[in-house]
Amino acid sequence: MTSAPRPASPASSEDLHKRRAGAVARGVGSVIPSYVDHASGGTIVDVDGREWIDFAAGIAVTNVGNSAPRVVAAIREQAERFTHTCFMVAPYESYVAVCEQLNTLTPGTYEKRSALFNSGAEAVENAVKIARHVTGRAAVVVFDHAYHGRTNLTMALTAKNMPYKHRFGPFAGEIYRVPMSYPLRDGGLTGPVAAANAIELIEKQVGAENVAALLIEPIQGEGGFVVPAPGFLPALREWATAAGVVFVADEIQTGFCRTGDWFALDHEQVEPDLITLAKGIAGGLPLAAVTGRAELMDAVHVGGLGGTYGGNPIACAAALAAIETMHELDLPTAARNIEATMLPRLQTLAAQDPRIAEVRGRGAMLAVELVLPGTLTPDPTTTAAISAACHRLGLLTLTCGTYGNVLRFLPPLVIDTPTLTRALTLLETAFTTT
Ligand code: PMP
């Protein structure tokens, strides 16, 4: 049974924002100054009763929508049975069941194992631990524009200084960065040529025999929704196999039906050795995972992987319910339908507005990159202004990109067509009035 939304909080967003300033550290930012009262499949309602169309999905988390009925029921039922025992102390079935699901759903036809964690950054840290342990090598290769998290190791893996790394060093060592295939900005290199350039740098500057892992987002998230040219990922995969390097796909943002398939690697039939997962996995509850080849995952000694909360039973129950919902509602198809509705409208907008250099992305992970007209010079100021105009109109958009000049769209995959269409009209208004 779904309960009716509670009445709006007696405190206004303005009151809460004032209270926040005296209580919450300034370093934790928020995109909008409105405070949430309740949210559903495609909208968020704030404490002032104002409705926002959700083009953020909590940064690609609520793929099944907010408070998805199955997820709510599973959470409630699990919370009444037990809330936490720690899987490393007294194990339970739902952890095992989530691992079974991940082993089946993720790309790769080989035998797999999984381990569960709390956040994306923690999953990435553990993938690096496993790759180093198995190979006995130290180096990790990452890409320009990459984002992998905010812990010390994942800050080192992340490309962008401000705001993620600035004055937070020294960072973990043995991280090497090579160019990403970025068709708009690398002169349109083909995927295989861009990969050959990256591989040459790795071989000359690091040495393949020193590389434990090559870590890549199949479509970059925070870095700007950068979709590599076709053939880039397969060429890197082939090289990693030949060089004995563990190929780690970070599908934390692209995973769980977001791009129109269960995982972004499915588009190019690339099989990773390890995959990191989080965000969309559990309908909004904190859960993350590393899934991969059984012989790599099982190489680590007992006790080498884990954590107090990793695979918390409520988060696991939510994940099983979210995955069921993805199957039941066929969310890969839903993401493709979102693309089919959005892409033509975005392309028409781009044809009329010379500030849009490119429309790109896949499924319900779409973006526009903004430049000074007639150049490739990034325009973060206009990007921020258009995003702010969207917010004034009631459309919750996010920006991203190394240059802050990408406006990205991440609706929940269950958003209904009238709401989606309304959102696109608001977006067009934001462009024409800014
Ligand atoms: N990897 C990618 C590709 C991400 O998009 C993110 C989060 N934006 C992370 C890692 C880190 O995840 P978390 O914030 O859950 O630590």
Side-chain angles (χ1 to χ4, degrees):
M1 193 185 80
T2 46
S3 47
R6 285 169 287 109
S9 156
S12 67
S13 286
E14 204 181 329
D15 295 339
L16 292 170
H17 215 56
K18 281 191 196 128
R19 242 170 81 196
R20 170 197 181 128
V24 180
R26 196 172 64 105
V28 183
S30 294
V31 173
I32 53 170
S34 287
Y35 287 69
V36 179
D37 184 77
H38 59 274
S40 59
T43 55
I44 295 173
V45 176
D46 69 21
V47 292
D48 308 311
R50 181 172 184 206
E51 188 180 81
W52 299 75
I53 301 179
D54 185 6
F55 261 18
I59 322 186
V61 169
T62 50
N63 295 2
V64 296
N66 252 292
S67 303
R70 271 182 192 277
V71 174
V72 173
I75 291 171
R76 188 174 287 148
E77 192 190 321
Q78 180 57 46
E80 281 168 1
R81 285 175 56 221
F82 60 94
T83 49
H84 175 81
T85 57
C86 184
F87 191 76
M88 299 186 306
V89 176
Y92 38 88
E93 182 182 356
S94 57
Y95 187 117
V96 179
V98 170
C99 293
E100 287 168 346
Q101 288 288 332
L102 300 180
N103 297 347
T104 306
L105 290 169
T106 52
T109 48
Y110 42 79
E111 193 174 341
K112 295 179 204 143
R113 301 283 186 271
S114 292
L116 305 183
F117 305 98
N118 301 294
S119 67
E122 205 188 339
V124 173
E125 292 251 0
N126 278 279
V128 171
K129 277 168 64 172
I130 294 162
R132 284 179 168 161
H133 185 91
V134 168
T135 58
R137 305 172 180 178
V140 179
V141 172
V142 288
F143 290 80
D144 284 338
H145 315 290
Y147 182 90
H148 298 292
R150 295 173 180 269
T151 57
N152 186 264
L153 174 59
T154 60
M155 276 193 290
L157 298 167
T158 290
K160 191 172 175 176
N161 176 51
M162 200 58 184
Y164 308 123
K165 303 167 74 164
H166 188 61
R167 294 174 67 116
F168 295 145
F171 302 113
E174 287 303 315
I175 311 296
Y176 300 91
R177 194 171 306 285
V178 294
M180 176 70 179
S181 164
Y182 191 160
L184 180 70
R185 295 193 174 276
D186 67 7
L189 296 178
T190 65
V193 170
N197 292 347
I199 289 164
E200 187 180 12
L201 279 183
I202 301 167
E203 289 183 339
K204 296 287 179 255
Q205 298 185 5
V206 191
E209 65 277 24
N210 299 317
V211 179
L214 182 145
L215 170 64
I216 188 161
E217 299 156 86
I219 297 177
Q220 290 183 322
E222 305 308 308
F225 281 28
V226 179
V227 185
F232 184 68
L233 296 167
L236 292 173
R237 167 69 272 187
E238 200 177 311
W239 173 82
T241 304
V245 169
V246 178
F247 184 101
V248 185
D250 181 344
E251 290 239 24
I252 287 166
Q253 189 151 162
T254 49
F256 295 100
C257 315
R258 175 57 55 188
T259 64
D261 267 306
W262 276 84
F263 297 94
L265 281 186
D266 293 332
H267 291 277
E268 289 200 79
Q269 280 95 46
V270 170
E271 295 192 344
D273 297 313
L274 302 177
I275 188 167
T276 56
L277 307 164
K279 291 193 187 276
I281 191 172
L285 268 78
L287 187 70
V290 180
T291 296
R293 290 184 188 276
E295 65 272 24
L296 305 186
M297 297 294 295
D298 279 344
V300 177
H301 47 275
V302 174
L305 304 175
T308 303
Y309 291 115
N312 167 273
I314 299 176
C316 285
L320 293 172
I323 290 168
E324 254 179 59
T325 304
M326 292 174 209
H327 282 296
E328 185 188 41
L329 303 180
D330 189 7
L331 292 191
T333 301
R336 287 172 191 247
N337 290 341
I338 290 171
E339 177 179 344
T341 303
M342 289 187 68
L343 212 51
R345 300 259 310 249
L346 293 175
Q347 279 160 347
T348 303
L349 193 60
Q352 292 161 356
D353 192 326
R355 297 171 298 181
I356 300 178
E358 189 173 55
V359 179
R360 61 173 178 256
R362 247 188 224 137
M365 185 173 182
L366 299 173
V368 292
E369 176 158 352
L370 301 182
V371 295
L372 300 178
T375 74
L376 276 180
T377 308
D379 189 352
T381 310
T382 299
T383 310
I386 292 173
S387 201
C390 288
H391 301 166
R392 282 195 297 277
L393 293 165
L395 175 62
L396 182 50
T397 45
L398 302 175
T399 60
C400 64
T402 294
Y403 315 103
N405 67 327
V406 179
L407 194 59
R408 59 172 153 169
F409 314 119
L410 288 165
L413 306 183
V414 295
I415 193 168
D416 61 59
T417 308
T419 307
L420 185 60
T421 308
R422 202 150 46 89
L424 290 168
T425 304
L426 297 179
L427 184 66
E428 286 155 1
T429 305
F431 268 89
T432 50
T433 57
T434 306

